[in-house]
CSV table of all heavy atoms in Angstrom, one decimal:
chain,number,residue,atom,x,y,z
G,1112,THR,N,183.4,94.9,53.6
G,1112,THR,CA,182.8,96.1,53.0
G,1112,THR,C,181.4,96.2,53.3
G,1112,THR,O,180.8,97.3,53.6
G,1112,THR,CB,183.1,96.1,51.5
G,1112,THR,OG1,184.5,96.0,51.3
G,1112,THR,CG2,182.6,97.3,50.9
G,1113,ALA,N,180.7,95.0,53.2
G,1113,ALA,CA,179.2,95.0,53.4
G,1113,ALA,C,178.9,95.3,54.9
G,1113,ALA,O,177.9,96.0,55.2
G,1113,ALA,CB,178.6,93.7,53.1
G,1114,GLY,N,179.8,95.0,55.8
G,1114,GLY,CA,179.5,95.2,57.2
G,1114,GLY,C,180.1,96.5,57.7
G,1114,GLY,O,180.0,96.8,58.9
G,1115,PHE,N,180.8,97.3,56.9
G,1115,PHE,CA,181.5,98.4,57.3
G,1115,PHE,C,180.6,99.5,57.9
G,1115,PHE,O,180.8,100.0,59.0
G,1115,PHE,CB,182.4,99.0,56.3
G,1115,PHE,CG,183.2,100.2,56.6
G,1115,PHE,CD1,184.2,100.2,57.6
G,1115,PHE,CD2,182.8,101.5,56.1
G,1115,PHE,CE1,184.9,101.3,57.9
G,1115,PHE,CE2,183.5,102.6,56.4
G,1115,PHE,CZ,184.5,102.6,57.4
G,1116,LEU,N,179.7,100.0,57.1
G,1116,LEU,CA,178.8,101.1,57.5
G,1116,LEU,C,177.9,100.7,58.7
G,1116,LEU,O,177.7,101.5,59.7
G,1116,LEU,CB,178.0,101.6,56.4
G,1116,LEU,CG,178.7,102.5,55.4
G,1116,LEU,CD1,177.9,103.0,54.2
G,1116,LEU,CD2,179.4,103.7,56.1
G,1117,PRO,N,177.3,99.5,58.7
G,1117,PRO,CA,176.5,99.1,59.9
G,1117,PRO,C,177.4,99.1,61.2
G,1117,PRO,O,177.0,99.5,62.3
G,1117,PRO,CB,176.0,97.8,59.6
G,1117,PRO,CG,175.9,97.7,58.1
G,1117,PRO,CD,177.1,98.5,57.7
G,1118,ALA,N,178.6,98.6,61.1
G,1118,ALA,CA,179.5,98.6,62.2
G,1118,ALA,C,179.9,100.0,62.6
G,1118,ALA,O,180.0,100.3,63.8
G,1118,ALA,CB,180.8,97.8,61.9
G,1119,CYS,N,180.0,100.9,61.7
G,1119,CYS,CA,180.3,102.3,62.0
G,1119,CYS,C,179.1,103.0,62.7
G,1119,CYS,O,179.3,103.7,63.7
G,1119,CYS,CB,180.6,103.1,60.7
G,1119,CYS,SG,182.2,102.7,60.0
G,1120,VAL,N,178.0,102.6,62.4
G,1120,VAL,CA,176.8,103.2,63.1
G,1120,VAL,C,176.7,102.7,64.5
G,1120,VAL,O,176.5,103.4,65.4
G,1120,VAL,CB,175.5,102.8,62.3
G,1120,VAL,CG1,174.2,103.1,63.1
G,1120,VAL,CG2,175.4,103.4,61.0
G,1121,THR,N,177.0,101.4,64.7
G,1121,THR,CA,177.1,100.9,66.1
G,1121,THR,C,178.2,101.5,66.9
G,1121,THR,O,178.0,101.8,68.0
G,1121,THR,CB,177.3,99.3,66.0
G,1121,THR,OG1,176.2,98.8,65.3
G,1121,THR,CG2,177.3,98.7,67.4
G,1122,LEU,N,179.3,101.7,66.2
G,1122,LEU,CA,180.4,102.4,66.9
G,1122,LEU,C,180.1,103.8,67.3
G,1122,LEU,O,180.3,104.2,68.5
G,1122,LEU,CB,181.7,102.4,66.0
G,1122,LEU,CG,182.9,103.1,66.5
G,1122,LEU,CD1,183.5,102.4,67.7
G,1122,LEU,CD2,183.9,103.3,65.4
G,1123,ALA,N,179.5,104.5,66.4
G,1123,ALA,CA,179.0,105.9,66.8
G,1123,ALA,C,178.0,105.9,67.9
G,1123,ALA,O,178.1,106.8,68.8
G,1123,ALA,CB,178.5,106.6,65.5
G,1124,ARG,N,177.1,105.0,67.9
G,1124,ARG,CA,176.1,104.9,69.0
G,1124,ARG,C,176.8,104.6,70.3
G,1124,ARG,O,176.4,105.2,71.3
G,1124,ARG,CB,175.1,103.9,68.6
G,1124,ARG,CG,173.9,103.8,69.6
G,1124,ARG,CD,172.9,102.8,69.1
G,1124,ARG,NE,173.4,101.6,68.6
G,1124,ARG,CZ,173.7,100.5,69.4
G,1124,ARG,NH1,173.5,100.6,70.6
G,1124,ARG,NH2,174.2,99.4,68.8
G,1125,ARG,N,177.7,103.7,70.3
G,1125,ARG,CA,178.4,103.4,71.5
G,1125,ARG,C,179.3,104.4,72.1
G,1125,ARG,O,179.4,104.7,73.2
G,1125,ARG,CB,179.2,102.1,71.4
G,1125,ARG,CG,178.3,100.9,71.2
G,1125,ARG,CD,179.1,99.6,70.9
G,1125,ARG,NE,178.2,98.5,70.7
G,1125,ARG,CZ,178.7,97.3,70.3
G,1125,ARG,NH1,179.9,97.1,70.1
G,1125,ARG,NH2,177.8,96.3,70.2
G,1126,LEU,N,180.0,105.1,71.1
G,1126,LEU,CA,180.9,106.2,71.5
G,1126,LEU,C,180.2,107.5,72.1
G,1126,LEU,O,180.6,108.2,72.9
G,1126,LEU,CB,181.8,106.7,70.3
G,1126,LEU,CG,182.9,105.7,69.9
G,1126,LEU,CD1,183.6,106.2,68.7
G,1126,LEU,CD2,183.8,105.3,71.0
G,1127,ARG,N,178.9,107.7,71.5
G,1127,ARG,CA,178.1,108.8,71.9
G,1127,ARG,C,177.9,108.8,73.4
G,1127,ARG,O,177.9,109.8,74.1
G,1127,ARG,CB,176.8,108.8,71.1
G,1127,ARG,CG,176.0,110.0,71.4
G,1127,ARG,CD,174.7,109.9,70.7
G,1127,ARG,NE,174.0,108.8,71.3
G,1127,ARG,CZ,173.0,108.2,70.6
G,1127,ARG,NH1,172.6,108.5,69.5
G,1127,ARG,NH2,172.4,107.1,71.2
G,1128,GLY,N,177.6,107.7,74.0
G,1128,GLY,CA,177.3,107.6,75.4
G,1128,GLY,C,178.5,107.3,76.3
G,1128,GLY,O,178.3,107.2,77.5
G,1129,ASP,N,179.7,107.3,75.8
G,1129,ASP,CA,180.9,107.0,76.6
G,1129,ASP,C,181.5,108.3,77.1
G,1129,ASP,O,181.8,109.2,76.3
G,1129,ASP,CB,181.9,106.2,75.8
G,1129,ASP,CG,182.9,105.5,76.6
G,1129,ASP,OD1,183.3,106.1,77.7
G,1129,ASP,OD2,183.4,104.4,76.2
G,1130,ASP,N,181.7,108.4,78.4
G,1130,ASP,CA,182.3,109.6,79.0
G,1130,ASP,C,183.8,109.8,78.7
G,1130,ASP,O,184.3,110.9,78.9
G,1130,ASP,CB,182.1,109.6,80.5
G,1130,ASP,CG,180.6,109.7,80.8
G,1130,ASP,OD1,179.8,110.3,80.1
G,1130,ASP,OD2,180.2,109.3,82.0
G,1131,ARG,N,184.4,108.7,78.3
G,1131,ARG,CA,185.8,108.8,78.0
G,1131,ARG,C,186.1,109.4,76.6
G,1131,ARG,O,187.3,109.7,76.3
G,1131,ARG,CB,186.5,107.4,78.1
G,1131,ARG,CG,186.3,106.8,79.4
G,1131,ARG,CD,186.8,105.3,79.4
G,1131,ARG,NE,185.8,104.5,78.6
G,1131,ARG,CZ,186.0,103.2,78.4
G,1131,ARG,NH1,187.0,102.6,78.9
G,1131,ARG,NH2,185.0,102.6,77.7
G,1132,VAL,N,185.1,109.7,75.8
G,1132,VAL,CA,185.3,110.2,74.5
G,1132,VAL,C,185.2,111.8,74.5
G,1132,VAL,O,184.2,112.3,75.1
G,1132,VAL,CB,184.2,109.6,73.6
G,1132,VAL,CG1,184.3,110.2,72.2
G,1132,VAL,CG2,184.3,108.1,73.5
G,1133,PRO,N,186.2,112.5,74.0
G,1133,PRO,CA,186.1,113.9,74.0
G,1133,PRO,C,185.0,114.5,73.2
G,1133,PRO,O,184.6,113.8,72.2
G,1133,PRO,CB,187.5,114.4,73.4
G,1133,PRO,CG,188.3,113.2,73.3
G,1133,PRO,CD,187.4,112.0,73.5
G,1134,TRP,N,184.5,115.6,73.5
G,1134,TRP,CA,183.3,116.1,72.8
G,1134,TRP,C,183.6,116.5,71.3
G,1134,TRP,O,182.7,116.3,70.5
G,1134,TRP,CB,182.8,117.4,73.5
G,1134,TRP,CG,183.7,118.6,73.5
G,1134,TRP,CD1,184.6,118.9,74.3
G,1134,TRP,CD2,183.7,119.6,72.4
G,1134,TRP,NE1,185.2,120.1,73.9
G,1134,TRP,CE2,184.7,120.6,72.8
G,1134,TRP,CE3,182.9,119.8,71.3
G,1134,TRP,CZ2,184.9,121.7,72.0
G,1134,TRP,CZ3,183.2,121.0,70.5
G,1134,TRP,CH2,184.2,121.9,70.9
G,1135,ARG,N,184.9,116.8,71.0
G,1135,ARG,CA,185.2,117.1,69.6
G,1135,ARG,C,185.1,115.8,68.7
G,1135,ARG,O,184.6,115.9,67.6
G,1135,ARG,CB,186.6,117.7,69.5
G,1135,ARG,CG,186.6,119.1,69.9
G,1135,ARG,CD,188.0,119.7,69.7
G,1135,ARG,NE,188.0,121.0,70.1
G,1135,ARG,CZ,189.1,121.8,70.1
G,1135,ARG,NH1,190.2,121.3,69.6
G,1135,ARG,NH2,189.0,123.0,70.5
């Protein structure tokens, strides 16, 4: 639980730059 939101922030940052992720 303590690591959930920081891990989500890292996930969002990594997905933002990935071309395999749809824009929606």
Side-chain angles (χ1 to χ4, degrees):
T1112 304
F1115 177 70
L1116 284 179
C1119 289
V1120 170
T1121 302
L1122 176 70
R1124 186 176 41 87
R1125 290 176 180 173
L1126 291 179
R1127 184 185 63 202
D1129 198 325
D1130 293 333
R1131 300 173 291 181
V1132 178
W1134 69 271
R1135 286 184 179 178

